[in-house]
Amino acid sequence: MKKTIELYFSLLCLIFNSCHVFAAIKNPALLKQGMVVSEQHLASQVGINILRSGGNAIDAAVAVGYALAVVHPCCGNIGGGGFMLLHLANDKNIFINFRERAPLAAKTDMFLDTKGQVIPDKSTVGYLAVAVPGSVLGLDTALKKYGTMTRQQIMAPAIHLAENGFILAPADVKILEKNVKSFRHSPNVAAIFLKHNQPYQAGDRLIQKDLANTLKLISANGPDVFYKGRIAESIVNASQKNGGILSLKDFSEYRIEELAPVHCMYRGYSIFSAAPPSSGGTTLCEMLNILEGYPLSHLGYHSLASVHNTIEAMRYAFFDRNSELGDPDFINNPIQHLISKDYAAQIRQHIHSGQITPSSQLQAVKSHEGINTTHYSIVDQWGNAASVTYTLNSYFGAKVIAGDTGFFLNSEMDDFTSKPGVANKFGLIQGASNAIFSGKRPLSSMTPTIITKDNQVMMVLGSPGGPRIITATLQAILNVIDYKMNIQQAVNSPRFHHQWLPDETNIEPQTFPENTMKKLQAMGYHLVTGQPWGAVEAIQIDPITKNMEGANDMRRPAGSAVGY
Ligand code: GLY
């Protein structure tokens, strides 16, 4: 088997003249009982220990959620929010929405100056950027409803890691280093995340006593202490003192909800993914439906035709995403229309071989009416699967920690449209459907996804990366289903991205061979090469042997896929 794969990739290497693409491929972890894949190896270990001790995928998902809040503090969190997609062994699919909500005092124009211009940084840094966090209620509810272990059992590993510290790997330090300037800005942040006001080095131990105390409070008292007790009081107090608008009522009224996931079929596979207020599942399904009409495997991996069709699918789906979608409690999302096969066929009629569609022309064919997140995937021995993406929005969120709570608060207010037509942190230009409103949840791109075939889990995946989450997830799926890669190859392969506006195709370094680049440019594509993005943390299960293959994205070397 290993030999066949190697042969296959040597061949691809020759055909596409792009051996660099596959240089970093390692063999995926391959096991049968349970698998956990996350962006931080200690968190993956916490998850697998839970599975080994008899916990199910949901127990492990909650334990990993709390562990990442300690060992991956840029992104793992209790001060943010996200989505948990579950496939239960009884074939039920459940989507838990614990996305943050805008404070009740939030106003549509709160980030605009008197001339109606967006005020830089106001929606990204400091307390005005903070939406009401959902992670604690989301994780606790999932555990209560679908887990088998106690909160104390589940939270003990995270508390241990916070209280006794953990050794920072080079990749952990790299993320901390990038944020030293903002850590220095707040004494209570510098006291934890700097060592005598200097950056931590690889091999240092990061101890987080304040966070350990907060986690102990939650472990002993449950979410009430976060939403109605001491933790809410600390956050509201800090917010009021620092120009924020968070109130105790925001916390006591915070709710999570359970929704049906978005569902579509792609070449006989059942795709379950995130429902609004995430745009992830809808946009993913719209792209897959468009692409189903093209023989991608025949056209070939990264052939000119398959790349053209894929970029155009991205462009059309993001046009709909940015114009139409928002919090379902506030607007009607035309999901069934957007993910219908008919609509995809209509779009395909406007995609012409060898010819791009400038983004400015898209309105004519309409027929109807921010990056540093973290994802983890878990499968257990009984056939339960958890696909979880949660976030502080940007690295370390709004860069603030309330008093001695020890955890960062999110900057999720930037995911709203501050002003229609003006780009947010991710360059996304969005419409009024995602305008700020009191108590509303901002539109997300998080795309936790589970794929089944004949009711058996076949793939569990998702990624961080703002809007690039959706296209990173798409490409990992195409790489497996159409291009027949193993899961590690699918995850590591270089990516490209288009989001309608700006009208450019972002590519990772050395994604395409030089001649493909030239042909794409000659067609009119504006190619912009940038740093690698995303981190698809994925599991694939062989339908016959039931072998589980876990793949930690090589772009996140601190992560791991562990199984047993
Ligand atoms: N904050 C990134 C997202 O929700 O998509």
Side-chain angles (χ1 to χ4, degrees), residues 176-235:
L176 292 172
E177 269 171 359
K178 282 189 196 144
N179 293 273
V180 165
K181 220 167 122 193
S182 73
F183 295 161
R184 288 202 172 117
H185 207 72
S186 310
N188 68 336
V189 175
I192 303 167
F193 290 99
L194 294 175
K195 194 177 165 187
H196 312 301
N197 216 34
Q198 297 306 314
Y200 275 99
Q201 308 291 317
D204 284 345
R205 181 177 289 272
L206 177 64
I207 295 174
Q208 300 171 76
K209 292 275 185 210
D210 286 349
L211 179 57
N213 291 337
T214 292
L215 293 173
K216 281 183 199 168
L217 278 177
I218 297 169
S219 172
N221 304 290
D224 270 3
V225 72
F226 193 96
Y227 293 96
K228 295 177 184 160
R230 264 174 61 184
I231 301 171
E233 283 159 18
S234 297
I235 298 171

Side-chain angles (χ1 to χ4, degrees), residues 8-23:
Y8 173 68
F9 275 95
S10 319
L11 207 63
L12 279 179
C13 204
L14 284 175
I15 294 169
F16 297 112
N17 188 27
S18 56
C19 307
H20 52 273
V21 168
F22 306 107

Side-chain angles (χ1 to χ4, degrees), residues 99 370-371 373 391 393 412 415 426 443-446 466-467 469:
R99 180 74 161 164
I371 309 187
T373 300
T391 186
N393 194 26
E412 224 65 62
D415 271 351
F426 301 118
L443 187 64
S444 169
S445 294
M446 289 187 273
I469 291 173

Side-chain angles (χ1 to χ4, degrees), residues 8-9 12-13 15-18 20-22 25 295-307 310 475-476 478-480 482-485 489-496 508 510-513 516 555:
Y8 173 68
F9 275 95
L12 279 179
C13 204
I15 294 169
F16 297 112
N17 188 27
S18 56
H20 52 273
V21 168
F22 306 107
I25 289 166
L296 293 185
S297 57
H298 176 74
L299 294 174
Y301 174 73
H302 283 189
S303 67
L304 191 64
S306 71
V307 173
T310 307
Q475 285 165 90
L478 300 180
N479 288 346
V480 169
D482 291 283
Y483 303 120
K484 310 290 178 238
M485 294 185 197
Q489 293 155 346
V491 157
N492 284 358
S493 292
R495 302 181 179 130
F496 53 96
E508 291 188 325
Q510 301 181 307
T511 295
F512 304 125
T516 307
R555 296 164 186 79

